[in-house]
């Protein structure tokens, strides 16, 4: 595996899931694969779970790890071609990337959407430059449009906690005070669609439709209560307007409807549903305290599984070197 961006990159999903549970049972089984190999983790944006889980996974596999915070200590990087570099950016990504590749065997990249230019974001401009110019296998640690390590961990968590063979899983929009990217809901929808035994429903205010390539065959329901009825898992997440129905709205907050906040009443509509969120979460905007602290909250096991999803991905990449 040379790149990891989408669920298709893993090949048969049942085999990847089996591998995840094998690794969870023995996290150091494949430590020999990473001996004398180096992972470089490149962060254009902040991170807690991704940074810690990816570094832990690489260490479990015997790797050395280099972490580069682009905005804390490195030269400011220009990402656009054809720019006269007479501002505060001292180095171009096109030189920086191959230099980074000289010092490592694998590269993980975290670079969020700018939320001003939909075409630029959805072209995955920054990530694709790493794939093209680094000369190394590259995996996404959340990009402008996807967060596959999170979605893989989400699927592992659902498989561990489901009580019916084919659970109903609901991805629900919730309000937020800041404009957030669509990466997490995009990947969650994509991975749930790829899972053979999940019924996915997506609910959000009208105008917040995700890109059709991620929605796939999922049911879209604008009535949140109707969507929640009989649900086994509720995955709450805010995203800014994807600009699908109105491109001028891309990246904007076009709804702050607090009735979409997941509270005890919302969860009472479900089939004793489990609550999920990728974290960090704004309490009492996305979800109320009582729900996230309830026995049905899976946010901590979900975060813990980030180590497992990342271990599978890095293992596959090491095997392909």
């Amino acid at each position: 595996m040379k790149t990891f961006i989408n669920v298709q990159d893993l090949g048969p999903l049942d085999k990847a899931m089996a591998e995840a549970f094998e690794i969870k049972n023995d996290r150091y089984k494949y430590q020999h694969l990473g001996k004398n190999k180096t992972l470089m983790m490149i962060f254009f944006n902040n991170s807690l779970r991704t940074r810690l889980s990816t570094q832990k996974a690489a260490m479990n596999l015997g790797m050395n790890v280099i972490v580069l915070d682009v905005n804390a200590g490195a030269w400011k990087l220009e990402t656009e071609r054809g720019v006269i570099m007479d501002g505060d950016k001292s180095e171009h990504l096109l030189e920086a990337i191959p230099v980074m590749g000289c010092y490592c065997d694998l590269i993980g990249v975290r670079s969020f959407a700018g939320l001003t230019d939909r075409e630029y974001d959805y072209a995955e401009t920054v990530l694709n430059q790493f794939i093209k110019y680094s000369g190394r296998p590259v995996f996404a640690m959340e990009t402008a449009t996807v967060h596959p390590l999170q979605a893989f961990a989400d699927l592992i968590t659902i498989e561990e906690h489901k009580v019916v063979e084919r659970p109903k899983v609901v991805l629900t929009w919730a309000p937020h005070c800041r404009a957030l990217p669509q990466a997490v809901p995009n990947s969650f929808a994509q991975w749930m669609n790829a899972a053979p035994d999940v019924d996915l429903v997506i609910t959000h205010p009208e105008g917040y439709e995700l890109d059709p390539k991620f929605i796939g065959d999922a049911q879209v329901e604008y009535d949140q209560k109707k969507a929640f009825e009989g649900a086994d898992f509720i995955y709450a997440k805010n995203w800014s307007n994807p600009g699908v129905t109105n491109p001028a709205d891309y990246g904007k907050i076009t709804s702050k409807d607090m009735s979409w906040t997941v509270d005890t009443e919302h969860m009472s509509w479900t089939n004793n549903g489990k609550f999920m969120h990728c974290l960090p979460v704004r309490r009492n905007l996305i979800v109320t305290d009582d729900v996230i602290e309830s026995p049905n909250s899976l946010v901590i096991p979900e975060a813990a599984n980030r180590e497992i999803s990342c271990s599978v991905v890095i293992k596959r990449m090491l095997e392909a070197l």
Side-chain angles (χ1 to χ4, degrees):
M1 189 166 66
K2 296 295 185 182
T3 58
F4 176 69
I5 305 170
N6 299 304
V7 64
Q8 295 85 356
D9 296 326
L10 276 184
L13 194 51
D14 58 341
K15 292 183 179 179
M17 290 292 287
E19 204 167 324
F21 289 113
E22 177 195 20
I23 286 173
K24 191 162 187 177
N25 188 54
D26 184 356
R27 297 168 197 239
Y28 306 101
K29 182 176 181 178
Y30 296 101
Q31 202 168 42
H32 61 282
L33 291 174
K35 184 178 181 181
N36 298 329
K37 299 291 192 301
T38 299
L39 168 65
M40 182 173 287
M41 299 162 58
I42 300 162
F43 291 90
F44 290 85
N45 299 95
N46 294 339
S47 175
L48 190 151
R49 278 147 296 278
T50 297
R51 180 189 297 262
L52 297 178
S53 62
T54 306
Q55 188 163 356
K56 181 65 164 63
M59 293 167 65
N60 291 352
L61 291 163
M63 298 190 78
N64 303 309
V65 181
I66 299 172
V67 179
L68 176 64
D69 285 300
V70 171
N71 298 315
W75 299 111
K76 289 188 176 181
L77 295 177
E78 178 58 64
T79 60
E80 301 274 2
R81 283 182 173 274
V83 174
I84 297 174
M85 292 176 58
D86 58 355
D88 64 343
K89 295 177 180 178
S90 305
E91 186 163 8
H92 202 287
L93 205 59
L94 295 181
E95 285 77 60
I97 290 172
V99 168
M100 294 174 193
C102 293
Y103 307 138
C104 64
D105 300 281
L106 305 179
I107 295 177
V109 179
R110 185 172 177 90
S111 178
F112 292 174
L115 296 179
T116 57
D117 184 337
R118 190 180 194 280
E119 183 177 352
Y120 181 89
D121 288 344
Y122 274 72
E124 290 290 4
T125 307
V126 173
L127 179 70
N128 282 324
Q129 288 185 76
F130 277 91
I131 293 170
K132 186 173 181 179
Y133 298 113
S134 69
R136 302 298 180 195
V138 175
F139 64 92
M141 300 193 301
E142 188 171 355
T143 69
T145 67
V146 292
H147 197 353
L149 291 172
Q150 179 66 54
F152 189 8
D154 296 334
L155 186 57
I156 294 168
T157 307
I158 289 170
E159 185 66 23
E160 287 180 316
H161 292 272
K162 69 182 185 181
V163 294
V164 296
E165 188 63 28
R166 189 177 181 88
K168 178 181 178 181
V169 177
V170 177
L171 169 61
T172 180
W173 178 92
H176 203 282
C177 54
R178 296 181 57 214
L180 299 184
Q182 299 97 44
V184 169
N186 282 346
S187 279
F188 186 79
Q190 183 186 59
W191 283 70
M192 293 305 114
N193 277 317
D197 54 357
V198 167
D199 286 327
L200 175 64
V201 178
I202 303 173
T203 185
H204 53 72
E206 292 192 43
Y208 271 81
E209 292 79 10
L210 297 171
D211 192 295
K213 70 180 180 182
F214 296 110
I215 293 175
D217 296 327
Q219 176 188 348
V220 177
E221 173 56 65
Y222 298 110
D223 184 327
Q224 192 186 29
K225 183 175 183 179
K226 186 175 179 181
F228 274 45
E229 288 175 354
D232 301 290
F233 295 90
I234 299 296
Y235 196 103
K237 184 70 180 78
N238 174 266
W239 59 90
S240 61
N241 198 302
V244 173
T245 56
N246 184 0
D249 285 337
Y250 176 65
K252 295 180 180 178
I253 298 173
T254 52
S255 176
K256 293 184 177 180
D257 188 349
M258 290 291 288
S259 71
W260 285 77
T261 300
V262 179
D263 59 15
T264 301
E265 181 182 357
H266 285 71
M267 296 303 293
S268 73
W269 304 333
T270 71
N271 180 33
N272 193 32
K274 304 292 194 298
F275 176 81
M276 300 178 70
H277 188 279
C278 62
L279 302 181
V281 65
R282 299 269 186 152
R283 285 180 175 229
N284 303 305
L285 274 177
I286 300 289
V287 58
T288 55
D289 291 333
D290 52 347
V291 171
I292 198 169
E293 294 174 11
S294 77
N296 278 16
S297 174
L298 298 180
V299 296
I300 303 306
E302 187 182 354
N305 278 330
R306 291 291 307 279
E307 177 187 344
I308 307 306
S309 65
C310 194
S311 295
V312 174
V313 170
I314 295 176
K315 171 185 174 289
R316 294 277 188 95
M317 289 188 153
L318 288 171
E319 288 172 334
L321 289 178

